Amino acid sequence: MSSFKYKTYRCEWQIVNQPVGQYGEDHGEATVLWSWPTYEQALADRPNFGYEHQYVKDRWIPTGGNDYAVLEIRYKEVMVE
């Protein structure tokens, strides 16, 4: 009998708070704020976590944050046990 087991993955879209430097490079570890099963749901809920930057299109700042952090939507495959 084989000891091979299938692993099951599910896909999720995460909104993360990513610290950035003065020139936009990533600094530090990103913090996952919430996850959704579809990209459209993550996009629709993004205004609940931050606001769009005044001068930079499609750059979102976390609520209560400063210009040295951004909200990003990332794709991740999570193993289901």
Side-chain angles (χ1 to χ4, degrees):
M1 178 139 204
S2 174
S3 63
F4 180 79
K5 288 186 176 182
Y6 287 97
K7 294 182 180 180
T8 306
Y9 290 90
R10 67 180 161 90
C11 305
E12 64 181 34
W13 293 90
Q14 302 175 337
I15 286 188
V16 297
N17 181 354
Q18 175 67 55
V20 295
Q22 181 178 1
Y23 302 106
E25 69 276 5
D26 291 352
H27 280 285
E29 196 68 30
T31 305
V32 176
L33 301 177
W34 207 259
S35 300
W36 293 267
T38 67
Y39 181 71
E40 289 77 19
Q41 289 173 325
L43 271 180
D45 215 15
R46 185 168 54 176
N48 294 330
F49 294 95
Y51 57 94
E52 194 166 12
H53 194 275
Q54 183 178 359
Y55 302 111
V56 183
K57 183 173 173 53
D58 288 334
R59 180 172 177 179
W60 286 71
I61 308 298
T63 304
N66 57 27
D67 284 347
Y68 293 104
V70 295
L71 286 179
E72 295 179 348
I73 298 178
R74 295 185 180 172
Y75 172 82
K76 183 164 185 173
E77 292 180 351
V78 180
M79 189 169 69
V80 178
E81 299 199 25

